[in-house]
Amino acid sequence: MNTIAAYDTDDARWAAVQQREAAADGHFVYAVRTTGVYAQPSSAARLPRRENVVFFDSPQAAEAAGYRPSRRVQGDQTRAAAERAALVARACRLIEASQTPPPLDELAADLGMSPFHFHRLFKAETGLTPKAYGSAFRARRLRAELSAPEASITDAIYGAGFNANSRFYEASDQLLGMRARDYRAGGAGADIRFAVGQCSLGAILVAQSQRGICAILLGDDPDTLVRELQDQFPKARLIGGDAAFEQQVAQVVGLIEAPSIGLQLPLDVQGTAFQERVWRALREIPPGTTASYTEIAERIGAPRSVRAVAQACGANRLAVVIPCHRVVRRDGDLAGYRWGVERKRELLRREAQA
């Protein structure tokens, strides 16, 4: 039976509450007008009168309507959160141990869940879909294997979990942004177009790999920015941008001057699975608003990783596009910023006035 469809009417939901169906937990909650609290369908609390009951799709919706969780719900939420974290951790280990990315249906079956429910749970807890998590993990492992001084590309192929050369070469460009042998050689043979200019915040460098914009750097000294790019890919061919590339740079400069307009250019975002979770959460912060490091850690389902969130912000190479300038301390202090606190303050001022 499709459990999602089974609870799509108030009558079906009330029947589930009357039967205290545990299978309905997570699909909706019911609130009681006379007490102002809400509970899961399987709650053992005394059944209220039907005319006093209202249904919500989620606890968040119930709380937005002014209801508070019952004491039982608070305890259930703590246990449920631990159970969800354990399930997702198990799924992550299954993905990491697989030679090839396991299908969604297979992962869900291993955890005793429907594919829809598993997909939604995994994304809510990690900030990534199972497929995106698998790609990020494989990319991280591939970069680590290629960076080993004695390892050959063949060693890296099998060490990263590819069981056939053909599968590897189909995916390597997408994972690395260049051919594996070019990455292995510090970018040797790869073309990275770049341009250095000036904007109202000082010097700016914009670089583009074969996949998209891979660096937007800000600073006081253009030469320092170029050296920073060279350190990332010491053997790549750094090519001065032509007229077409200069137009893309102009779009980036326009973003610096008006951060709220966004940027409609392909990006080459490379990081660990955790970094990509953080960066995805940063891009969901609306212009003109801020979030604390603690809030970002909670949003990605890792509330104890506040310091790691700050480190991920510091590792960001795409200034403004991945808006780490919108992250502040819990007390509202601007804290550090890779490209200077004054630039952070100015970017926030511009967004607030937009």
Side-chain angles (χ1 to χ4, degrees):
M1 178 179 64
N2 187 328
T3 56
I4 301 299
Y7 308 118
D8 60 357
T9 67
D10 284 357
D11 286 344
R13 292 181 174 188
W14 177 240
V17 170
Q18 290 178 303
Q19 297 298 321
R20 306 187 194 279
E21 293 182 12
D25 290 353
H27 295 294
F28 69 92
V29 297
Y30 73 92
V32 184
R33 295 188 180 96
T34 53
T35 61
V37 302
Y38 70 86
Q40 294 286 349
S42 66
S43 173
R46 184 167 61 89
L47 285 177
R49 296 174 64 88
R50 174 64 183 89
E51 60 268 24
N52 294 329
V53 172
V54 60
F55 299 103
F56 294 95
D57 290 336
S58 67
Q60 292 80 6
E63 291 173 13
Y67 292 93
R68 67 184 187 279
S70 67
R71 293 180 181 177
R72 183 179 295 275
V73 165
Q74 290 175 324
D76 290 345
Q77 286 176 337
T78 300
R79 290 192 298 273
E83 291 171 358
R84 289 194 300 269
L87 281 171
V88 171
R90 181 181 166 194
C92 290
R93 302 296 85 78
L94 289 171
I95 293 171
E96 294 166 5
S98 299
Q99 291 297 314
T100 58
L104 178 65
D105 291 352
E106 181 180 313
L107 279 171
D110 285 341
L111 298 176
M113 302 172 67
S114 71
F116 175 84
H117 193 193
F118 167 69
H119 188 276
R120 184 174 63 176
L121 172 65
F122 192 96
K123 187 172 182 180
E125 290 290 313
T126 69
L128 297 172
T129 65
K131 182 178 180 180
Y133 179 87
S135 296
F137 174 78
R138 180 167 289 193
R140 180 182 61 185
R141 189 162 61 176
L142 179 57
R143 286 193 290 267
E145 292 285 345
L146 288 171
S147 298
E150 301 300 328
S152 66
I153 292 179
T154 299
D155 292 335
I157 289 174
Y158 291 100
F162 292 90
N163 55 14
N165 287 15
S166 59
R167 290 182 179 272
F168 166 76
Y169 287 112
E170 288 172 2
S172 61
D173 182 72
Q174 182 179 2
L175 294 176
L176 299 171
M178 61 185 65
R179 294 177 301 178
R181 64 174 178 269
D182 297 337
Y183 187 94
R184 180 80 166 80
D191 292 341
I192 296 180
R193 300 185 182 278
F194 78 100
V196 178
Q198 289 291 130
C199 65
S200 60
L201 296 182
I204 180 172
L205 180 147
V206 180
Q208 183 181 44
S209 70
Q210 296 168 352
R211 291 183 60 196
I213 301 297
C214 60
I216 300 174
L217 310 178
L218 299 172
D220 299 318
D221 180 13
D223 290 339
T224 300
L225 300 182
V226 174
R227 287 196 297 271
E228 186 175 343
L229 182 66
Q230 289 173 327
D231 289 342
Q232 182 66 30
F233 295 109
K235 297 182 181 180
R237 287 195 299 267
L238 300 183
I239 303 172
D242 54 17
F245 185 68
E246 293 290 346
Q247 293 179 355
Q248 294 187 359
V249 174
Q251 292 184 51
V252 176
V253 172
L255 175 68
I256 301 295
E257 305 304 328
S260 61
I261 66 174
L263 184 68
Q264 304 303 316
L265 289 174
L267 303 178
D268 181 4
V269 180
Q270 297 180 22
T272 66
F274 182 85
Q275 287 172 337
E276 291 189 14
R277 285 163 58 192
V278 172
W279 297 339
R280 189 185 302 267
L282 298 188
R283 298 189 71 186
E284 293 174 353
I285 304 174
T289 64
T290 60
S292 70
Y293 295 99
T294 300
E295 289 171 332
I296 295 298
E298 292 172 347
R299 290 179 189 180
I300 66 171
R304 298 182 180 179
S305 301
V306 177
R307 180 173 297 181
V309 167
Q311 292 171 342
C313 291
N316 172 32
R317 295 194 301 272
L318 292 166
V320 186
V321 175
I322 296 178
C324 51
H325 62 277
R326 295 177 191 156
V327 186
V328 298
R329 289 179 178 170
R330 182 180 294 181
D331 61 4
D333 187 86
L334 297 189
Y337 185 54
R338 177 173 181 171
W339 296 287
V341 172
E342 289 306 314
R343 291 188 178 90
K344 183 173 187 173
R345 181 176 288 109
E346 177 60 18
L347 287 169
L348 291 174
R349 185 193 67 79
R350 293 177 184 183
E351 291 186 349
Q353 293 182 346

